Amino acid sequence: QPPDGRFHRIRVTSSLNTARVHARKGYYAGRKLESDALTGADLEGEDWQLLMDRANQALKAGDLKQFAAVLEKLVRRFPNRAPLWQALGAAQLNLGEPQQAVAALQKAFALSPEDKAIGLTLSRAFIAAGLGEAAAQTMEMVAQRNPRDIGILMQLGRTYEAAGKTGEAHRTYRGALDVGFDPPPELYLVLTRTSVRLGRVIEARLFVDDFLARGGAPADIDPWRQLIPNNAP
């Protein structure tokens, strides 16, 4: 599919009744990036180890722009190394370049689909790029492989919220409560938020109490607590 900047759905089937199919629901065909124009000639005379050293120096100095620039050269030379694409995408996301980040992170995720850290970062890049549906689909796939990871479930809930699916987000957060015996306070914060948005006043009050009982900062929950009607049953 040409890089038209749109999300494209795909369908994967198998003729074997016993087969279990794990596949993405689609992909984001990011627009062609300037870095894609790099050729082998751009790397002539540059030792890859020196490039790695320059990347590490830029990272230590906090120069993300230079760090990303060097990584763009490295991924052209080593296109099958997921960690390089992941580092490039994370740097671009922090630089406020979400579409470029999506393109790099999709390549990393394609090379290493079992890596939940890449999936998490890709979903955040999708959200930053305004692609909530793509973010949700990415996290659904990650959650299928990590069904008892609270952090993954919470990120899935956030992606549902970004896609405007408040009900699905709330159900996902509620499911996360059953995963462990000591849920983080933030889980009760997002449960309060989605309960308020869904008009579930009684639940919202209970989640506020749970959030505070687990050491949550009152300043974090107050904006949502103030939206709960005092005279509601």
Side-chain angles (χ1 to χ4, degrees):
Q1 186 70 28
D4 56 10
R6 298 171 54 195
F7 186 79
H8 298 268
R9 294 183 182 276
I10 60 175
R11 182 183 180 189
V12 180
T13 61
S14 172
S15 60
L16 299 175
N17 294 331
T18 58
R20 296 183 63 188
V21 178
H22 296 275
R24 301 171 65 180
K25 294 184 178 179
Y27 64 94
Y28 175 70
R31 300 189 186 282
K32 190 173 182 63
L33 305 177
E34 184 177 336
S35 61
D36 288 337
L38 286 172
T39 64
D42 295 305
L43 299 177
E44 288 182 0
E46 293 192 76
D47 181 85
W48 72 268
Q49 187 58 58
L50 292 178
L51 287 174
M52 290 294 294
D53 292 341
R54 284 170 53 195
N56 289 329
Q57 291 169 5
L59 184 60
K60 290 179 180 179
D63 188 346
L64 286 181
K65 189 172 183 179
Q66 176 64 16
F67 180 61
V70 177
L71 283 173
E72 285 180 350
K73 294 184 178 183
L74 284 169
V75 295
R76 298 281 78 78
R77 178 165 288 183
F78 304 107
N80 294 321
R81 296 192 181 182
L84 291 177
W85 286 110
Q86 180 184 10
L88 174 58
Q92 291 169 330
L93 184 59
N94 287 326
L95 286 169
E97 301 171 348
Q99 289 198 358
Q100 289 90 331
V102 163
L105 290 165
Q106 281 199 127
K107 291 173 181 175
F109 201 42
L111 290 167
S112 186
E114 301 292 335
D115 193 319
K116 65 180 181 181
I118 296 176
L120 280 166
T121 310
L122 175 57
S123 74
R124 296 187 182 108
F126 273 132
I127 292 174
L131 300 165
E133 184 68 23
Q137 291 177 351
T138 299
M139 286 310 303
E140 285 171 358
M141 183 164 55
V142 176
Q144 286 176 357
R145 295 175 175 138
N146 303 273
R148 300 193 62 78
D149 188 314
I150 291 182
I152 295 294
L153 293 174
M154 290 181 64
Q155 180 62 13
L156 174 58
R158 295 188 193 98
T159 61
Y160 282 142
E161 288 191 78
K165 300 179 178 181
T166 306
E168 291 185 42
H170 188 72
R171 285 191 291 274
T172 301
Y173 295 143
R174 287 295 299 265
L177 283 177
D178 300 327
V179 170
F181 294 104
D182 188 24
E186 186 184 359
L187 178 56
Y188 294 97
L189 175 60
V190 294
L191 279 165
T192 300
R193 181 172 68 212
T194 49
S195 295
V196 169
R197 288 173 173 168
L198 293 171
R200 300 179 179 179
V201 175
I202 295 177
E203 284 188 25
R205 288 174 177 166
L206 292 173
F207 291 137
V208 168
D209 293 340
D210 288 332
F211 175 79
L212 296 174
R214 283 163 174 75
D220 293 336
I221 200 75
D222 279 343
W224 297 102
R225 178 164 50 179
Q226 293 170 5
L227 296 177
I228 302 174
N230 292 325
N231 57 352

